[in-house]
């Protein structure tokens, strides 16, 4: 166990922030940490839009489904898949393969996690905002993204003004397989449902009666942002 | 600057490993670090297949385009997008939205980066293997992945038996935007091309004459794994 791993194991999403600013040097270091992460074939297909404009923040909070912390966070970064740089260098670039969107999504996750963890290692907290994809076209227009570039997710950062409990995860043996995929043992989920139920019932804020199975099947039994694929296609991505 | 950020800034992909084993406790901690990362709506859509079977390793190295370190690495993990758990709990689950593949790709990147960084913080090194997608169907069959589950990328881990230079990245001002997207200034790329050229010409191993523009436009001016979308569709993903 070391500081880096302790920071990881202590991760909670932080949605309330003090007024303490994030210094320019801190933000620069957070971005450098992100840049230092692995990049598939060194393509470097991520762009970050830092949103400091108060009106844009207010709109983004609305677009994300009234997530007020998008407006209130000390910093708000939007991570984008960006093949426009490559297309600007050479118009022969073919960015419309699904493979390239996968690279963009994976590499954005890798880079963003370095940024978040660098921030957490400084005592900051944050949360990913996938909700930007609720209104992905509107976010795109607000940030004036060009062709071959797409909104992916946001990240709020700031000094924590809350201290939530660590949320229990699926046990390792459920997500880990050796040499071949092992079908789910439903008893593992029953046990985990009880753990999640107890967590929700006893946590210090926003207590509720629910478990993991109910939550995820509720969410996945309906349409999941069906406008995302048409949006990506319109931007010249994920066509084939 | 702290240990966590130093580890990030010191990242190099490690492709040669000593014989020193990774202890079970270390691997457990690496996986726990991955599990502790953010998960979109707590869906937990990542599965990891640890490949210890020597014959499977050999085949995976071949499938990845003869990347011998896939065979030689002390540990090899395959990260997969997995909605099969959710479908096993409730057959009403609709996993075929592109949105859900994006979540899977981003969350895999986030989780994997925690794993890699946890490993690096222990003195281990590693490298991501996107090349598994060269033969994504064959990898899928080898690991016996079910419907609603897809191969994404691999990760080699081991104690470093090499000490490569840190590869220069695009400067922060090229990937960072404020409030709206700023079109590329081609002079920035000319400067960076010189930096990358000098890096390739002077590094201690595998010296070559090339720059960033040449490399990325070469790679992106041709088809990028066109079989990936049909594969995802066949697995019940990314259809709409």
């Amino acid at each position: 166990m070391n500081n880096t791993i302790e920071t990881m194991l202590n991760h909670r999403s932080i949605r309330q922030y003090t007024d303490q600013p994030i210094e320019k040097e801190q933000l620069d270091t957070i971005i450098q940490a992100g840049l230092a992460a692995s990049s598939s074939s060194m393509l470097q297909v991520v762009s970050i839009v830092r949103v400091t404009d108060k009106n844009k923040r207010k709109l983004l909070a609305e677009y994300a489904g009234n997530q007020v912390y998008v407006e209130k966070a000390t910093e708000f970064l939007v991570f984008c898949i960006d093949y426009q740089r490559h297309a600007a260098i050479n118009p022969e670039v073919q960015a419309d393969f699904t493979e390239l969107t996968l690279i963009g999504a994976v590499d954005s996750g890798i880079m963003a996690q370095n940024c978040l963890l660098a921030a957490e290692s400084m005592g900051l907290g944050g949360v990913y905002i996938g909700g930007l994809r609720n209104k992905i076209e509107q976010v795109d227009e607000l940030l004036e993204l060009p062709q071959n570039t797409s909104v992916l997710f946001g990240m709020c950062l700031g000094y924590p003004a809350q201290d939530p409990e660590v949320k229990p995860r699926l046990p390792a043996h459920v997500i880990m397989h050796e040499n071949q995929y092992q079908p789910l043992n439903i008893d593992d989920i029953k046990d985990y449902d009880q753990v999640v139920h107890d967590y929700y019932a006893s946590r210090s804020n926003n207590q509720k009666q629910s478990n993991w199975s109910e939550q995820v099947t509720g969410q996945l039994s309906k349409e999941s942002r069906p406008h995302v694929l048409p949006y990506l296609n319109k931007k010249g991505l994920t066509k084939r």
Side-chain angles (χ1 to χ4, degrees), chain A:
Chain A
M1 192 70 59
N2 57 46
N3 289 345
T4 300
I5 292 167
E6 266 174 37
T7 302
M8 290 177 192
L9 297 181
N10 194 37
H11 166 73
R12 290 87 35 85
S13 290
I14 298 296
R15 296 179 173 84
Q16 293 171 25
Y17 315 96
T18 71
D19 291 335
Q20 189 177 345
I22 297 175
E23 302 299 334
K24 185 183 175 310
E25 292 68 26
Q26 285 178 293
L27 185 61
D28 287 349
T29 301
I30 289 166
I31 300 301
Q32 287 302 330
L35 284 170
S38 298
S39 162
S40 181
S41 306
M42 274 298 273
L43 288 173
Q44 304 182 81
V45 301
V46 187
S47 267
I48 302 175
V49 185
R50 176 189 180 207
V51 184
T52 53
D53 181 282
K54 284 190 199 318
N55 288 327
K56 288 197 177 186
R57 281 283 201 98
K58 207 178 161 72
L59 282 166
L60 290 172
E62 251 179 70
Y63 294 158
N66 296 314
Q67 299 196 54
V68 66
Y69 30 98
V70 170
E71 187 184 347
K72 303 290 184 203
T74 313
E75 290 285 347
F76 188 67
L77 306 175
V78 182
F79 288 77
C80 306
I81 300 174
D82 187 351
Y83 286 95
Q84 182 53 25
R85 272 195 288 273
H86 314 76
I89 294 170
N90 187 334
E92 304 286 303
V93 161
Q94 300 178 48
D96 60 338
F97 289 96
T98 299
E99 160 69 10
L100 297 179
T101 299
L102 283 188
I103 287 178
V106 169
D107 282 11
S108 295
I110 290 172
M111 177 190 276
Q113 183 57 12
N114 260 20
C115 292
L116 180 59
L117 208 66
E120 289 174 338
S121 77
M122 298 173 185
L124 294 159
V127 59
Y128 287 96
I129 307 293
L132 291 185
R133 296 192 301 275
N134 288 340
K135 303 278 184 195
I136 198 164
E137 290 239 26
Q138 288 90 327
V139 175
D140 183 292
E141 282 169 27
L142 192 70
L143 305 181
E144 302 176 31
L145 300 191
Q147 276 301 96
N148 304 309
T149 299
S150 103
V151 173
L152 198 53
F153 56 80
M155 182 187 288
C156 298
L157 293 173
Y159 280 96
Q162 61 177 165
D163 186 19
E165 289 88 356
V166 173
K167 218 177 227 180
R169 265 43 177 195
L170 281 170
H173 70 271
V174 173
I175 71 118
M176 283 294 284
H177 311 256
E178 191 166 341
N179 293 319
Q180 66 272 328
Y181 190 94
Q182 284 301 320
L184 187 70
N185 178 347
I186 202 75
D187 288 337
D188 285 331
I189 298 301
K190 285 185 187 146
D191 294 345
Y192 179 60
D193 274 342
Q194 188 62 49
V195 171
V196 172
H197 175 273
D198 294 348
Y199 160 79
Y200 281 133
S202 69
R203 67 180 176 181
S204 33
N205 269 301
N206 194 19
Q207 290 183 1
K208 56 184 174 181
Q209 293 293 320
S210 185
N211 66 35
W212 189 71
S213 296
E214 280 174 25
Q215 284 215 322
V216 300
T217 61
Q219 173 147 0
L220 294 175
S221 300
K222 59 188 185 193
E223 288 192 328
S224 294
R225 298 179 180 137
H227 52 276
V228 164
L229 182 55
Y231 160 77
L232 290 170
N233 289 168
K234 196 177 134 189
K235 299 307 301 278
L237 301 167
T238 329
K239 284 187 182 171
R240 52 177 168 160

